[in-house]
Amino acid sequence: MIGRRWYTPWLFLAPSLLLLGVFLWWPVLNTTALAFTDTHTLRGGGFTGLDNLRRIMSDSFFWNALRNSLFFTIIVVPALTVLPLLLAILASAKLKGMTFFRVVFFSPVVASMVVAALIWGWMLRSDGLLNFVLERIGIINEPVRWLSDPSLVMISVAVVTIWKGLGYYMVIYIAGLQNIPKDLYEAAELDGAGPIRRFWSVTVPLIRPTMFLVGTLTALNAIKVFTEAFVLTGGGPNRASETLVLYIYQRGFSGLELGYASAMSLVLFVVVLGLTLIAQIWTRRRANP
Amino acid sequence: MSAIPTTPPVDPVEAGSDPRRGATVDPSANQRARHRRVLGVAGRYVLLILVLFISVGPFLWQISTSLKGPEENIFAFPPTLIPESPTLNNYLAVMDSLPLGTYLLNSAYVSIGAVIGNCLFGAMAGYALARMRFRGREGLFAMMIATLVIPFEVIMISVFLVTRDLGLINTLTGALLPVALTVLSIFIMRQAFVSLHPEIEEAARVDGAGEWQLFWKVAMPSARGSLAVVAIFSFMAAWDDFLWPLIVLRDASKFTLTVGLVFLDGQFSADQRLIAAGTIIAIIPVLALFIALQKQFFRGVGQAAVKG
């Protein structure tokens, strides 16, 4: 460390500090400040204390949106924690053509979420392909209104998210499975353990840290759901798929209520923080017993 | 599809060479065990092909729709996967009515900009944090950790306001700058440089290399793996991004591909054939990139999980 001038580190840091300062740190401070104002894009605004918080408490659309996002998270997290693990085990077999299968399973990941939502929007129509296939194999008797039935629409949105996410988390699990020592499986087999027994006694305990990681990642992504709902339904029918970020977006950019939208953003942050804390506590307690 | 063997070969490791069983059990039981193995392998392939259809089916249906002519009923019941008279007219029509080429270039601009920004600036900052001692380093690092968990969605209103004040609304630069660097990239690069051997650096220093040369010629090449991770993640994130471009871009000529496709969906909601053609055009470049770099993609996603 000889011969270095005092400002050398800051030269290396300068572009980052500039970008993070302008597009991360300042917005964080500004969001916090705006949350306590009634700022409006056109007429400006001033400090209003906790008025926004009071308004949130009595805003039934807000609670509807929060409920939709939480419901979505509750569907997506278990599905994207378990299904990709099973898929990873399937795709870890030393069989011919496995690279081909992995590439195909991953392909929905590289198609953007907008593309995934447009493709599924076409299939999820009442007269769409999915209803036809399900009717043909006898699962349903009459067309399901995937996108227009308020009690189903959030599940349909989740289906798209799960379809697009499967391959991504599969790759994470494949990396995790490779770290499990082979001789553990051989020892279990010697002891007469069948494939299911081996899964529960060897794979699950050793893959558990990865499962907690995937669970945390999926939860933090799911609570921010926007694109799928925006493209598939625009939040409809009758706000049945309006998610929290969608509602904040509409209040902020269509309603021009920057102050109120910022206050709701802070609530979103508290929810994210809460999920992070739950995940950490849970991971610490259960992941490495 | 032709890559799937019709008669799956038995895994040589699993089958046959099992002295523990073969020695003590009679031949017929041995044969039964082999039968079970073959069935197991066949079962695996059945499951794999089933998942294959779930992954690929939606794409195939989209391709099929995009190839159907105006006289063919796309709502036909039962649906037809193979178009009666395949036509590329929908592709020509969608290219004609929408500047999809421009959207592709706009998306490429933002995505490549994000890759360069995250790799270069992330590495520079990560290098300073990992290899240099200076006053305020711990505090700066703590501030980065503290803001790592803040999602873009929480601050999007204020990011919009800053971008507006900078006069960057409705510009591609405005679409790029907020995604040009993430704290996560700095973290990954810092991790890579922390584990660098000091001896190599010292040797280069004795040879008279300056700080920038040390960084560029010694540290960067040894962090190639982490750079690939950062590059792939920032590319996928920027290419996939919809919310921010939707907020910041106004004119149809400035749209990235994701915003352009949704705009197309609104414009042509009557003709699904055109939307299908548009989505297929949108998928092809990034799918080609993925297939060309599949090993890096898989290694990147796997490594990121281990590092996280």
Side-chain angles (χ1 to χ4, degrees):
Chain A
M1 311 269 161
I2 315 143
R4 174 185 296 145
R5 299 188 194 279
W6 68 269
Y7 53 77
T8 311
W10 297 104
L11 287 180
F12 275 81
L13 285 162
S16 302
L17 293 182
L18 194 66
L19 279 171
L20 293 181
V22 174
F23 294 106
L24 178 63
W25 293 328
W26 165 251
V28 168
L29 296 176
N30 197 39
T31 302
T32 315
L34 278 177
F36 300 97
T37 69
D38 60 354
T39 305
H40 186 279
T41 311
L42 303 177
R43 33 163 225 270
F47 182 76
T48 54
L50 294 176
D51 278 4
N52 282 332
L53 196 62
R54 265 178 233 123
R55 193 175 150 198
I56 286 174
M57 296 307 266
S58 58
D59 182 350
S60 62
F61 294 148
F62 169 82
W63 292 105
N64 167 64
L66 180 62
R67 201 167 42 240
N68 286 340
S69 287
L70 287 174
F71 178 63
F72 174 86
T73 306
I74 288 168
I75 304 172
V76 165
V77 171
L80 277 183
T81 307
V82 175
L83 295 177
L85 173 59
L86 303 178
L87 194 57
I89 292 170
L90 193 62
S92 290
K94 289 196 189 69
L95 295 176
K96 270 211 177 134
M98 212 45 81
T99 313
F100 165 78
F101 281 111
R102 286 185 192 180
V103 167
V104 171
F105 296 164
F106 196 79
S107 57
V109 179
V110 294
S112 59
M113 184 53 88
V114 164
V115 166
L118 287 174
I119 290 179
W120 276 87
W122 174 223
M123 299 209 319
L124 286 170
R125 292 170 56 113
S126 303
D127 53 0
L129 185 70
L130 188 69
N131 273 337
F132 170 77
V133 171
L134 292 179
E135 254 175 280
R136 211 15 99 78
I137 55 180
I139 292 179
I140 56 172
N141 292 324
E142 53 186 68
V144 176
R145 288 158 54 230
W146 296 107
L147 296 176
S148 53
D149 183 337
S151 58
L152 273 179
V153 64
M154 218 57 230
I155 297 172
S156 305
V157 175
V159 165
V160 180
T161 313
I162 294 164
W163 177 77
K164 187 180 183 276
L166 274 179
Y168 184 79
Y169 298 107
M170 172 195 79
V171 172
I172 293 184
Y173 276 126
I174 288 177
L177 288 173
Q178 277 164 353
N179 290 332
I180 299 179
K182 294 263 177 319
D183 39 333
L184 284 177
Y185 287 106
E186 282 161 22
E189 205 174 352
L190 262 184
D191 289 344
I196 292 169
R197 189 65 211 274
R198 287 201 296 272
F199 172 74
W200 284 112
S201 328
V202 182
T203 310
V204 169
L206 286 166
I207 205 72
R208 201 178 275 171
T210 314
M211 289 180 79
F212 276 92
L213 172 76
V214 170
T216 309
L217 288 176
T218 51
L220 290 180
N221 281 329
I223 198 68
K224 303 181 299 189
V225 56
F226 171 80
T227 305
E228 301 91 310
F230 184 93
V231 177
L232 274 174
T233 62
N238 197 17
R239 295 180 189 263
S241 62
E242 187 169 81
T243 65
L244 189 49
V245 175
L246 195 49
Y247 187 54
I248 294 174
Y249 169 84
Q250 271 161 4
R251 281 288 167 173
F253 296 109
S254 308
L256 310 178
E257 297 175 86
L258 302 173
Y260 188 51
S262 295
M264 291 194 291
S265 303
L266 281 196
V267 177
L268 170 65
F269 181 57
V270 171
V271 175
V272 168
L273 218 54
L275 282 177
T276 314
L277 278 177
I278 292 172
Q280 286 220 326
I281 293 168
W282 214 355
T283 305
R284 224 165 263 160
R285 215 186 282 160
R286 301 281 310 277
N288 311 296
Chain B
M1 299 269 158
S2 57
I4 307 162
T6 41
T7 47
V10 181
D11 185 359
V13 184
E14 272 191 27
S17 62
D18 196 343
R20 299 181 300 256
R21 281 196 194 150
T24 50
V25 189
D26 65 291
S28 71
N30 202 353
Q31 208 164 17
R32 238 179 298 144
R34 179 175 298 174
H35 267 289
R36 213 182 303 144
R37 289 252 150 95
V38 172
L39 272 179
V41 171
R44 269 178 188 273
Y45 275 107
V46 169
L47 283 174
L48 282 167
I49 289 165
L50 190 77
V51 183
L52 181 110
F53 272 108
I54 295 171
S55 298
V56 164
F59 289 123
L60 291 181
W61 181 233
Q62 196 78 349
I63 294 173
S64 159
T65 307
S66 75
L67 293 174
K68 286 174 181 168
E71 68 285 346
E72 185 169 353
N73 179 13
I74 52 173
F75 301 104
F77 198 90
T80 46
L81 185 60
I82 310 292
E84 285 161 12
S85 50
T87 167
L88 288 174
N89 280 342
N90 297 319
Y91 287 86
L92 298 175
V94 80
M95 292 299 273
D96 226 28
S97 53
L98 264 195
L100 275 183
T102 309
Y103 295 170
L104 269 172
L105 286 179
N106 292 349
S107 273
Y109 172 84
V110 173
S111 305
I112 293 169
V115 169
I116 295 173
N118 279 283
C119 285
L120 181 62
F121 301 150
M124 284 166 65
Y127 184 73
L129 289 170
R131 312 297 301 182
M132 298 179 184
R133 233 177 287 241
F134 57 94
R135 201 189 273 207
R137 184 175 76 164
E138 309 307 322
L140 189 62
F141 194 55
M143 194 148 98
M144 288 185 180
I145 293 178
T147 45
L148 183 66
V149 291
I150 297 176
F152 168 77
E153 287 79 356
V154 168
I155 56 169
M156 63 182 175
I157 306 272
S158 294
V159 174
F160 166 76
L161 292 175
V162 165
T163 311
R164 192 186 64 181
D165 292 345
L166 291 171
L168 294 174
I169 293 298
N170 200 21
T171 66
L172 286 174
T173 312
L176 166 63
L177 285 183
V179 296
L181 179 66
T182 63
V183 176
L184 188 65
S185 304
I186 299 179
F187 262 52
I188 294 176
M189 292 319 296
R190 181 186 168 272
Q191 286 308 105
F193 292 133
V194 159
S195 52
L196 211 66
H197 277 295
E199 294 87 38
I200 312 169
E201 252 180 339
E202 285 310 317
R205 211 185 292 272
V206 168
D207 289 347
E211 287 298 332
W212 180 258
Q213 278 173 311
L214 278 180
F215 164 70
W216 194 248
K217 298 232 169 93
V218 180
M220 281 296 254
S222 67
R224 244 180 271 136
S226 298
L227 280 170
V229 172
V230 171
I232 283 166
F233 271 86
S234 27
F235 183 86
M236 288 205 297
W239 188 270
D240 207 4
D241 197 8
F242 174 64
L243 179 54
W244 176 241
L246 177 72
I247 291 170
V248 76
L249 302 173
R250 297 283 157 83
D251 290 343
S253 65
K254 298 280 172 53
F255 286 167
T256 57
L257 206 50
T258 51
V259 184
L261 282 174
V262 173
F263 177 66
L264 166 74
D265 187 40
Q267 211 177 32
F268 290 104
S269 48
D271 200 349
Q272 188 63 37
R273 299 173 184 83
L274 295 183
I275 300 165
T279 54
I280 297 303
I281 294 173
I283 294 171
I284 288 170
V286 67
L287 199 63
L289 187 74
F290 161 58
I291 289 172
L293 298 173
Q294 38 161 304
K295 279 211 183 81
Q296 281 80 359
F297 267 79
F298 288 153
R299 206 186 300 142
V301 175
Q303 273 184 2
V306 175
K307 277 171 185 157

